[in-house]
Amino acid sequence: MRWTYVLTRLLQMIPTLILAAVLVFILVRLLPGDPASAILGDRATPEIVERTRRELGLDQPLVVQFARFAGRLLQGDFGISTSLKVPVLRLIAERLPVTLFLTVYAAVLGALLAVPLAVLAAVRRNTWVDGVIRAVFQVGLSLPVFYIALQLLTLLGARLGWFPIGGYGETFGEHLYYLFLPALTLGFNLAAVLMRTLRASVIEVLTAEYVDFARAKGLRSRVIMTRHVLRNAMISTVTLLGLNIGALIGGAVITESVFAIPGVGRLMVDAIFGRDYPVIQGLTLMFAVLVSLVFLMTDLVHARLDPRAQHA
Amino acid sequence: MNRFARLTLALGAALTLGSSLAVTRGGTLVYGRYADSLFLDPVLNDANLDIWILTNLYDTLLQPSPDGRSVRPGLATRQVVSPDGKTMTLTLRPGIRFANGTPITAGDVKWSLDRARNPNNGAWNGSLASINSITAQGNTVVLNLKNPDPTLPAALATFNAAIMPQKLFTAAPGGTDAEKAKAFAEKPVGSGPFVLSEWKRGSYMVLKRNPYYWQRGEDGKALPYLDAVRFEIIPDDNTRILKLQAGELQGAEFIPLSRVAELRNNPRINMQLFPSTKVNNILMNNRPKLNSGAANPMSDVRVRQALNYATNKDALIQVVTYGTGKPMRSYMSATTPLFAAQPGYPYDVNRARQLLQAAGFGNGFEVTCLATSGSADDLALLTALQQMWGQVGVRLKIEQLDAATKTARYRANDFQMRTAAWTNDINDPSQITSYFAIYDNVESLHTGFKNAEVERLFAQSQAETSAINRASQYRRIQDIYMKAAPIVFLYETPYPVALAKNVRNFVQIPLGNNIFTATSLEK
């Protein structure tokens, strides 16, 4: 039964999350500098820093601090941001949808770019069409994300005025419009990765015996492509897409800064610079949950495409 | 046809002239900030990101003047100091209200100042430490002082002395002052020109005009002219500039100095360089031994002076500030009250060599400077200094650290040199002096500099009632400090703000506060 598989996988996430919580708690405290100094800046006197450390509970032994953190966590409380003075959970709730929207949007755009072009390149392999498509994506793979972002902004945003420069918008339609350039930036990078694998798998499947058989049966080439070739070629691509969603959330950090998008990527950067322990801890746990869930979903889709995987 | 064209032109000119006399009311100004505010309480915060917004939301009894040199009336119209200097009587402006319409009472003033001077509250209570007690009656507030305090007018014009509505604040949920402040700061109500109407963290903040604001505009009606100011948070410098060029913003702060010249040439943009109190310098560890136990060449005043002589300030101003800076002539900026220009250290390699020789470092030495990683300015500055100091045998190593790590090392006095910048928060030289030159505060910015005469003069100046005496005390302090050279004196830099052409009367004062009170968007 599939649901027992899902349940087992979900239960397996618990030790991962506990490990993540302990690790991040220790790691952020190994960083030089502490929240009190970060809030108060260069100028504060030692007495004021000491008082602030006391107020934040940083004067307590690490074990006590961890017990408090863990105790609150079990009640679903991620603590209060030391710099922004608001609950971490509220910050995440405000920012996470933005990043998720951007990630999904980028994944969709990436797939929309990669799948047809990969198939075209595979079918026309070693012709000039194949050469051009591969060259474009090779370039996409080697250019840094922020560079692509700035070029898109300058050309399509500032010069042609087709898209707004940065921001997020208020409605669903506006989100689609405002996030088009950033999603395209991320999607292009993703497409470049997917393209290579997908093209190779399509070529491999095209030469497989069952495709020859299907052809011999007289099936139309579109049916062969969608029902037989793509379905099989997609297996490795879906796994790769799943693995890359994690990277996509990471890539959002840069994209969110360039495009002024209020997502969790930027929140994380600010929190690290501000040594905002509760925010760093909360976000790390949330990332851990997200990535685990994405991996789980990837496995489920994989299993759907390739029933052998379920028992593996 | 020709005559008709000329007539139209003349008419057009007359119309524009007419309309330029009358200021336009209304509109929303969209302003790009590089980062969002953190916490909007005037007493319990410290970051410039908050301070520079707070002054739009809250008002103080006195206000800093736009040129940063003096204070002028705010919520109080009059301040009278008794002949012995030990009481200050302030008269409140009649009919003043908070942004929700409730009148501002002398009780609110007393409560706000008592909260601001409470030693358990925030890092700023020291500025009001001379107050012994406050009495409020009718429309007057009397401050009874422990000692005469020449810095008090400037302190009353500083953000932490903002007047807040006592009833609203105490009604906010929470048991302690800090908890109430958290709740109140979500929806703060003050008596500044604007009131917070919407805040989406990390994205934008909208300030709407306060209909009860006391100041009047050119047209005799209440300020501000704008309906609202919308702050958009855009961390990337390039994106901020692109948005301004595309007309999505009417103002953008923190323009990189490298792009000032380009934007000045853009006919649709008004590139402004507002005078600031910002001084950029290199802090040196002056102690005889470093934390590692190694001997420290910079404990010798001749070495510190030599490094100052070996620094070509004019070249740095060209390379690092793209010609927008000017040499420091004191540890305080030229915009700080009681600034007294010093001869300083003109670029003189031979003099530097002689001094190093005399100090026993004829063959130079190696020194490490902490820099903020990712800061293009720090890197440009230090690579230029590597070359300049290399000529006198000083081998400069650069150690790049993120800001929090850099601060931690500095607090532990674990550094030889570090890049630094300072801006004043108060319209008086006492703040910067207490940090740069007074050991007991933060070990003179952790340089370890200590000078008995400076300490004595500073203590005197803090209770000096004669303006002339105070000025001469500060002249002497600046002279001693310059000669002792605990820091490498570099340059002052302005606040670069790019505005759309139709923005009138926006001011960033030398303290950094963004003033939108009389700003308007012309059609």
Side-chain angles (χ1 to χ4, degrees):
Chain A
M1 287 286 275
R2 179 158 292 158
W3 66 267
T4 47
Y5 171 70
V6 174
L7 198 69
T8 325
R9 284 290 302 267
L10 285 175
L11 287 173
Q12 279 168 358
M13 275 168 65
I14 293 173
T16 315
L17 292 180
I18 293 176
L19 193 68
V22 176
L23 266 182
V24 69
F25 180 86
I26 296 168
L27 285 177
V28 335
R29 278 160 185 80
L30 287 177
L31 290 172
D34 71 351
S37 305
I39 299 167
L40 297 166
D42 286 352
R43 304 184 185 179
T45 58
E47 299 83 64
I48 290 164
V49 175
E50 229 11 78
R51 197 179 67 215
T52 310
R53 284 176 56 83
R54 227 175 17 250
E55 282 165 11
L56 296 174
L58 297 168
D59 57 332
Q60 301 291 322
L62 270 191
V63 185
V64 177
Q65 288 187 44
F66 185 77
R68 283 185 186 166
F69 164 62
R72 273 201 299 261
L73 209 56
L74 288 176
Q75 297 163 19
D77 178 3
F78 281 55
I80 288 174
S81 157
T82 52
S83 56
L84 303 168
K85 319 261 195 270
V86 289
V88 174
L89 221 48
R90 204 176 93 196
L91 284 174
I92 293 179
E94 276 170 16
R95 305 284 194 99
L96 184 61
V98 182
T99 303
L100 286 184
F101 196 106
L102 177 62
T103 312
V104 171
Y105 198 176
V108 169
L109 285 184
L112 283 180
L113 275 174
V115 175
L117 288 174
V119 170
L120 188 62
V123 172
R124 299 275 178 85
R125 66 177 169 281
N126 300 330
T127 65
W128 67 270
V129 179
D130 184 24
V132 168
I133 293 176
R134 290 171 67 188
V136 167
F137 282 109
Q138 192 59 45
V139 171
L141 210 55
S142 37
L143 286 180
V145 170
F146 74 90
Y147 181 80
I148 301 178
L150 272 178
Q151 291 309 315
L152 284 176
L153 268 184
T154 311
L155 182 69
L156 300 179
R159 202 152 303 159
L160 296 172
W162 292 353
F163 293 97
I165 299 161
Y168 178 55
E170 308 278 334
T171 60
F172 184 78
E174 272 182 19
H175 296 339
L176 281 179
Y177 179 49
Y178 274 79
L179 293 183
F180 181 73
L181 289 185
L184 187 66
T185 308
L186 286 173
F188 188 65
N189 226 266
L190 178 68
V193 179
L194 296 184
M195 238 283 300
R196 290 206 327 188
T197 344
L198 189 56
R199 176 182 167 278
S201 339
V202 171
I203 290 173
E204 196 191 311
V205 179
L206 273 177
T207 55
E209 276 178 22
Y210 64 88
V211 176
D212 286 340
F213 179 70
R215 234 180 243 133
K217 271 201 315 191
L219 283 177
R220 278 182 305 153
S221 51
R222 176 176 296 178
V223 178
I224 297 175
M225 190 51 84
T226 49
R227 198 170 299 163
H228 296 280
V229 179
L230 262 185
R231 188 180 166 119
N232 285 299
M234 281 301 268
I235 295 171
S236 54
T237 313
V238 164
T239 316
L240 195 66
L241 179 68
L243 290 175
N244 269 283
I245 297 240
L248 217 53
I249 297 177
V253 170
I254 299 167
T255 324
E256 281 175 5
S257 292
V258 174
F259 288 96
I261 302 163
V264 282
R266 245 176 70 202
L267 185 63
M268 186 62 144
V269 174
D270 292 344
I272 291 172
F273 282 128
R275 298 291 190 268
D276 197 330
Y277 294 170
V279 174
I280 302 175
Q281 288 162 177
L283 282 177
T284 310
L285 282 180
M286 185 213 73
F287 282 134
V289 172
L290 266 184
V291 171
S292 305
L293 285 179
V294 169
F295 284 177
L296 173 57
M297 279 194 292
T298 309
D299 287 351
L300 290 177
V301 175
H302 189 164
R304 185 81 188 237
L305 288 171
D306 182 1
R308 285 170 304 174
Q310 243 187 97
H311 308 288
Chain B
M1 192 63 189
N2 206 356
R3 194 191 284 174
F4 176 72
R6 238 183 274 158
L7 190 72
T8 343
L9 269 178
L11 231 134
L15 278 174
T16 11
L17 195 71
S19 65
S20 74
L21 290 175
V23 68
T24 313
R25 279 190 171 264
T28 297
L29 184 141
V30 189
Y31 192 82
R33 297 185 82 194
Y34 80 101
D36 200 1
S37 291
L38 305 168
F39 177 48
L40 296 175
D41 181 89
V43 171
L44 303 180
N45 74 325
D46 182 74
N48 280 342
L49 285 169
D50 298 325
I51 297 171
W52 296 355
I53 290 300
L54 283 171
T55 45
N56 291 293
L57 301 177
Y58 295 100
D59 213 344
T60 39
L61 293 174
L62 304 172
Q63 288 183 346
S65 63
D67 68 357
R69 293 184 172 279
S70 56
V71 295
R72 57 182 190 182
L75 291 178
T77 49
R78 241 158 59 94
Q79 40 139 333
V80 181
V81 179
S82 65
D84 67 352
K86 290 184 74 171
T87 47
M88 183 192 259
T89 308
L90 294 131
T91 312
L92 296 185
R93 195 176 288 279
I96 42 177
R97 287 168 187 277
F98 288 110
N100 65 352
T102 55
I104 302 173
T105 66
D108 290 311
V109 174
K110 173 181 156 54
W111 174 83
S112 299
L113 297 182
D114 277 337
R115 177 170 180 255
R117 71 192 185 89
N118 180 344
N120 293 324
N121 280 349
W124 288 94
N125 52 72
S127 69
L128 299 170
S130 62
I131 299 176
N132 191 30
S133 66
I134 302 174
T135 48
Q137 203 168 39
N139 66 341
T140 56
V141 177
V142 180
L143 311 179
N144 305 299
L145 309 182
K146 295 170 192 158
N147 48 274
D149 182 3
T151 71
L152 197 55
L156 292 174
T158 303
F159 64 91
N160 65 317
I163 305 308
M164 301 170 76
Q166 179 185 4
K167 276 204 190 98
L168 270 182
F169 186 96
T170 43
T176 63
D177 182 87
E179 282 169 18
K180 285 179 184 296
K182 268 176 209 164
F184 185 79
E186 300 264 314
K187 208 88 182 90
V189 173
S191 62
F194 294 91
V195 59
L196 182 71
S197 82
E198 209 184 334
W199 185 9
K200 205 152 186 197
R201 284 172 190 280
S203 188
Y204 64 87
M205 183 191 277
V206 182
L207 307 187
K208 284 205 319 211
R209 77 185 288 271
N210 166 9
Y212 300 100
Y213 191 58
W214 56 268
Q215 247 188 93
R216 311 250 141 215
E218 289 169 31
D219 52 5
K221 288 184 252 172
L223 284 175
Y225 296 122
L226 291 170
D227 288 334
V229 181
R230 182 184 168 101
F231 293 102
E232 299 250 7
I233 313 307
I234 305 154
D236 189 86
D237 294 339
N238 290 310
T239 311
R240 232 163 31 247
I241 295 172
L242 277 175
K243 260 180 113 75
L244 182 77
Q245 287 170 334
E248 292 174 29
L249 298 178
Q250 283 83 51
E253 67 175 3
F254 284 94
I255 301 295
L257 295 174
S258 57
R259 301 200 57 186
V260 165
E262 167 205 339
L263 292 175
R264 267 191 173 152
N265 288 328
N266 186 328
R268 286 179 307 171
I269 286 172
N270 171 16
M271 182 66 231
Q272 289 271 8
L273 295 174
F274 291 105
S276 83
T277 53
K278 188 168 182 187
V279 285
N280 305 264
N281 57 79
I282 289 183
L283 302 177
M284 293 187 272
N285 192 333
N286 289 207
R287 297 170 185 82
K289 280 205 179 342
L290 298 171
N291 270 19
S292 62
N296 180 12
M298 267 97 65
S299 61
D300 191 318
V301 64
R302 290 168 297 188
V303 172
R304 300 197 300 268
Q305 289 174 338
L307 291 174
N308 271 291
Y309 278 119
T311 304
N312 184 343
K313 272 75 76 183
D314 294 320
L316 290 178
I317 286 168
Q318 291 309 317
V319 173
V320 186
T321 78
Y322 295 83
T324 61
K326 56 179 191 177
M328 280 174 78
R329 302 292 300 277
S330 161
Y331 60 88
M332 60 175 81
S333 71
T335 50
T336 307
L338 305 187
F339 159 81
Q342 304 296 312
Y345 299 91
Y347 182 48
D348 188 340
V349 181
N350 287 330
R351 185 104 179 77
R353 280 205 193 98
Q354 283 164 12
L355 282 162
L356 284 175
Q357 190 84 45
F361 290 100
N363 295 322
F365 56 90
E366 191 178 271
V367 63
T368 304
C369 185
L370 309 186
T372 310
S373 61
S375 160
D377 286 352
D378 270 14
L379 213 54
L381 166 68
L382 292 176
T383 40
L385 280 179
Q386 263 175 341
Q387 292 203 330
M388 291 171 190
W389 293 356
Q391 292 186 26
V392 296
V394 175
R395 296 173 297 281
L396 177 62
K397 284 185 16 183
I398 306 168
E399 189 178 353
Q400 298 194 63
L401 300 169
D402 76 293
T405 309
K406 195 176 159 201
T407 302
R409 290 272 301 273
Y410 160 77
R411 276 194 191 293
N413 297 332
D414 184 13
F415 71 106
Q416 281 187 290
M417 289 185 174
R418 63 159 274 174
T419 55
W422 169 281
T423 47
N424 296 348
D425 300 290
I426 178 167
N427 241 344
D428 189 86
S430 57
Q431 184 200 19
I432 186 169
T433 306
S434 71
Y435 279 92
F436 272 71
I438 302 303
Y439 188 84
D440 280 347
N441 195 17
V442 289
E443 301 179 34
S444 306
L445 292 176
H446 292 273
T447 57
F449 167 81
K450 192 171 189 177
N451 180 290
E453 191 181 352
V454 167
E455 307 255 336
R456 184 173 54 76
L457 285 167
F458 181 69
Q460 279 174 15
S461 78
Q462 288 294 83
E464 179 60 65
T465 46
S466 148
I468 296 167
N469 289 348
R470 195 161 185 254
S472 84
Q473 286 153 355
Y474 268 100
R475 247 194 322 274
R476 181 78 186 121
I477 292 174
Q478 289 170 79
D479 172 48
I480 297 171
Y481 193 89
M482 181 59 88
K483 286 186 179 137
I487 63 174
V488 181
F489 296 86
L490 299 175
Y491 37 77
E492 301 182 15
T493 43
Y495 295 128
V497 179
L499 298 165
K501 276 280 181 204
N502 64 335
V503 176
R504 295 265 184 288
N505 252 326
F506 166 78
V507 197
Q508 185 168 14
I509 68 170
L511 301 176
N513 309 2
N514 297 308
I515 310 288
F516 296 97
T517 313
T519 306
S520 63
L521 283 171
E522 299 303 318
K523 296 266 155 58

